[in-house]
Amino acid sequence: MRVRITDSAEQAGQLIADDIAARLTDGSVRVLGVATGASPLPIYRSLAARGVGYPGVELVALDEYVGTGSDDPRSFSAYVAARIARPLQIPVERTHVPSGDGRDPDAAAAEFERLIERIGPVDLQILGVGTNGHIGFNEPGSDRASVTRVVELSDRTRHDNAPYFAGGAVPARAITQGIDTIMRARSLVVIATGAAKAPVVAAMLAGVVTSDVPATFLTEHPDLTVVVDPLAAGSLPPA
Ligand code: F6R
């Protein structure tokens, strides 16, 4: 595991984007796993600013709310299209997000797991981490062996994500890649920024692997990089 503390969130994003751009260009990343949310935005901004297209790359999202169709601007599908696929010129047929239309979420989850088996493995997976330690939407208590499935979102997660649903209710359920699904990626990079992430970053790196903090499972991956800004590093023991 490598831990990098950068000077700022933007610099964290740029560092990761430099690595991703190099690996997209040399072909060692053909399937790119992407997280949504606030943390990875500096990565996507930095990649988009380069003006380089990667039309042959497959994009695979981590999760989607149940009940937000792809035409809903609050959906992760809309986020992936606007922030990643369009700027990087990745066509719709290579952009994969679990279906959130709510018609048959269990079938959509199973189909997404099969899709990853078919086009995977994911070469590089970008991850954020929830304040409660979730990765994807694998909430505390999630099993190490879990695969893509429908999950109930915790009160904490729904509270944290309420700003994206101004005025409306945050969906109660989501489809998420499981922990085992995520761990099958060839390499993982976690970005965590801001003071709210300091406790979970400290817990993640404390050396105890526990389903109470699902992000701790990632520390067992043979190729994990954790990139944090000084605020998110604020509760780490001195080096
Ligand atoms: C998003 C995802 C989540 C987020 C996490 C952190 O696709 O899977 O695990 O990475 O909730 O969200 P932010 O970055 O908004 O704090």
Side-chain angles (χ1 to χ4, degrees):
M1 173 170 66
R2 293 165 294 273
V3 180
R4 303 260 186 275
I5 303 175
T6 59
D7 289 341
S8 66
E10 282 307 310
Q11 202 187 78
Q14 204 176 330
L15 183 86
I16 296 169
D18 284 347
D19 179 53
I20 294 173
R23 292 163 74 176
L24 289 172
T25 301
D26 72 16
S28 57
V29 170
R30 185 187 58 81
V31 183
L32 178 64
V34 290
T36 58
S39 312
L41 285 175
I43 305 174
Y44 306 138
R45 273 198 293 270
S46 178
L47 285 172
R50 297 159 204 239
V52 179
Y54 303 97
V57 164
E58 303 280 349
L59 270 188
V60 178
L62 278 173
D63 41 20
E64 178 60 285
Y65 294 110
V66 171
T68 57
S70 57
D71 51 350
D72 186 325
R74 302 164 305 182
S75 68
F76 289 165
S77 179
Y79 175 118
V80 169
R83 312 267 189 184
I84 314 170
R86 277 203 288 276
L88 301 188
Q89 298 162 35
I90 297 171
V92 178
E93 62 273 19
R94 292 196 207 281
T95 302
H96 311 284
V97 183
S99 169
D101 66 14
R103 274 200 291 260
D104 188 345
D106 290 317
E111 167 55 29
F112 202 72
E113 183 73 14
R114 282 195 297 274
L115 170 101
I116 293 172
E117 280 163 14
R118 197 165 65 242
I119 68 169
V122 169
D123 295 304
L124 173 64
Q125 176 66 56
I126 300 167
L127 294 151
V129 56
T131 56
N132 65 355
H134 72 215
I135 50 164
F137 275 138
N138 294 282
E139 299 282 31
S142 295
D143 203 279
R144 165 66 181 80
S146 55
V147 297
T148 307
R149 67 203 185 287
V150 178
V151 292
E152 300 279 333
L153 297 177
S154 68
D155 291 344
R156 177 93 174 259
T157 296
R158 295 181 76 202
H159 172 267
D160 285 350
N161 290 358
Y164 300 110
F165 288 84
V170 179
R173 294 187 302 157
I175 295 172
T176 184
Q177 287 191 32
I179 293 170
D180 191 66
T181 320
I182 292 169
M183 292 289 278
R184 274 183 256 134
R186 287 190 211 273
S187 57
L188 307 178
V189 59
V190 175
I191 182 165
T193 56
K197 299 292 170 71
V200 73
V201 167
M204 179 182 171
L205 301 180
V208 181
V209 176
T210 165
S211 67
D212 293 343
V213 184
T216 61
F217 287 120
L218 304 180
T219 63
E220 297 192 322
H221 194 283
D223 187 355
L224 169 68
T225 306
V226 180
V227 184
V228 294
D229 72 350
L231 292 171
S235 299
L236 291 175

